[in-house]
Amino acid sequence: MVDGTYKGTKQVMPPNIEGVALCFEGGGYRASYTAGMANAILDHELFFPFVCGISAGASHTVDYVSQDRQRVRDSFIKLTTKRPEAGGPVSLLTGHGYFNADYVYVGCTEDGTMPFDFAAFRANPAEARISSFDAATGHTVTWGKADMRTPREMMMKVRASSSLPVIMKPHTVIDGRLMYDGGLGAGAGIPVFMAEEAGYERLVFVASRPAGYRKEPPTAGERRIYRYASKGNDRVYQALLTRGERYNEALDHVEALEREGRAFVWRPEVMPVKTTTIDTPRLVESYRMGREQAERDIPRLLEWLARA
């Protein structure tokens, strides 16, 4: 046992791919689709030396590094059956947010609903990186495995990476700093910058939006929501206001890497759910669709990985 609630249950496989990073986009419950892709990668025993993600992609990152296929799947399906603890209208009306961050990250692991194999996570030689946004400074904060010394510390930092204003209560405090969703910071939700900062010139990017997607400029109504959600913090407001433009620029960069042969991009053929979808059958179907697409595309991924 680790901290009394996390059980080490298996021997992990070390990285068998050299010089390529694996990057997971977030997107709330759109990650049900990309969870199918993540598990296809694990089932085909493709183990990357560097894994990074933002928001829901941060959950994929730590689950993939722990090589826990069940948790990869359950993280964006099983919790929808835990209401109002994990979220939903009742959670929102009682002040816990549409997604209840208190339960979705730490609570569900400590009560045994979603145990995390922290021993496997720590034993894997692969690096894991996630990022968050410091509300006081407006700076992006990046954490690696060295910053995740205990299960609770790890889950609190995954939570910090995922604390999206409006739908979650952004009250995650790390080292005395109020942290918001990493999508407000560098990359605007596209995590490839972490791989590039670590020196990786080739990467696999698992996207949660179909090809051609771009964000539109915020409407007047959205600007009002951003102003309310930022609670007087201009750095948070400006980050929300400019996120769409920065997100589109990050996608343009990914497409440039793809044209150069430096990125393999896995995009959903369709996206059957929304960020806020909590209908369990629809999420199960989303996972199935993502898994089936990945199985069809694995030969193309293997071909790309084989290139020098």
Side-chain angles (χ1 to χ4, degrees), residues 212-219 222 226 241 243-245 247-248:
Y213 174 83
R214 290 294 187 276
K215 290 186 180 295
E216 298 291 334
T219 64
E222 288 170 335
Y226 296 163
L241 201 62
R243 186 186 174 211
E245 180 182 356
Y247 178 89
N248 293 344

Side-chain angles (χ1 to χ4, degrees), residues 80-304:
T80 60
T81 66
K82 295 287 288 185
R83 300 181 197 172
E85 298 97 326
V90 173
S91 176
L92 180 63
L93 292 172
T94 54
H96 297 288
Y98 189 75
F99 299 138
N100 182 359
D102 292 329
Y103 188 79
V104 168
Y105 299 101
V106 176
C108 70
T109 55
E110 293 186 343
D111 73 3
T113 299
M114 290 280 293
F116 184 87
D117 196 337
F118 190 69
F121 174 77
R122 294 294 301 176
N124 191 340
E127 174 62 305
R129 297 271 179 91
I130 62 177
S131 71
S132 187
F133 179 84
D134 187 330
T137 65
H139 295 159
T140 297
V141 178
T142 300
W143 296 300
K145 284 175 71 177
D147 305 302
M148 306 175 194
R149 293 160 292 188
T150 68
R152 175 176 279 268
E153 186 176 33
M154 181 202 69
M155 280 299 175
M156 286 298 292
K157 287 175 177 174
V158 171
R159 168 179 165 167
S161 180
S162 309
S163 294
L164 189 64
V166 182
I167 61 174
M168 298 179 78
K169 289 181 64 177
H171 59 258
T172 306
V173 176
I174 304 291
D175 298 328
R177 296 177 293 181
L178 179 63
M179 309 302 296
Y180 279 69
D181 192 285
L184 273 64
I190 306 299
V192 300
F193 74 92
M194 287 185 276
E196 292 178 317
E197 287 178 351
Y200 284 85
E201 296 185 356
R202 301 183 73 214
L203 58 91
V204 173
F205 174 50
V206 182
S208 63
R209 295 286 194 182
Y213 174 83
R214 290 294 187 276
K215 290 186 180 295
E216 298 291 334
T219 64
E222 288 170 335
R223 287 171 180 265
R224 287 193 293 271
I225 292 172
Y226 296 163
R227 180 69 71 183
Y228 171 79
S230 61
K231 301 185 183 302
N233 185 318
D234 192 60
R235 289 187 174 89
V236 173
Y237 177 67
Q238 291 299 324
L240 286 165
L241 201 62
T242 63
R243 186 186 174 211
E245 180 182 356
R246 294 182 292 113
Y247 178 89
N248 293 344
E249 290 173 355
L251 282 184
D252 290 343
H253 176 61
V254 168
E255 290 181 359
L257 295 176
E258 190 177 22
R259 288 192 297 271
E260 295 168 11
R262 293 171 52 198
F264 180 94
V265 183
W266 235 341
R267 300 178 182 88
E269 294 171 343
V270 295
M271 177 47 66
V273 296
K274 299 179 180 179
T275 301
T276 55
T277 298
I278 55 174
D279 180 84
T280 305
R282 290 181 62 193
L283 294 170
V284 170
E285 177 65 6
S286 176
Y287 174 86
R288 183 194 65 78
M289 292 172 66
R291 181 61 183 266
E292 288 187 356
Q293 179 186 337
E295 289 295 338
R296 293 193 300 271
D297 287 348
I298 282 287
R300 188 166 58 88
L301 172 59
L302 294 174
E303 181 182 353
W304 181 86

Side-chain angles (χ1 to χ4, degrees), residues 65-98:
V65 172
S66 74
Q67 297 180 7
D68 188 337
R69 293 158 175 79
Q70 189 65 44
R71 200 175 199 281
V72 168
R73 180 188 183 279
D74 285 353
S75 289
F76 296 94
I77 295 175
K78 187 173 183 178
L79 287 179
T80 60
T81 66
K82 295 287 288 185
R83 300 181 197 172
E85 298 97 326
V90 173
S91 176
L92 180 63
L93 292 172
T94 54
H96 297 288
Y98 189 75

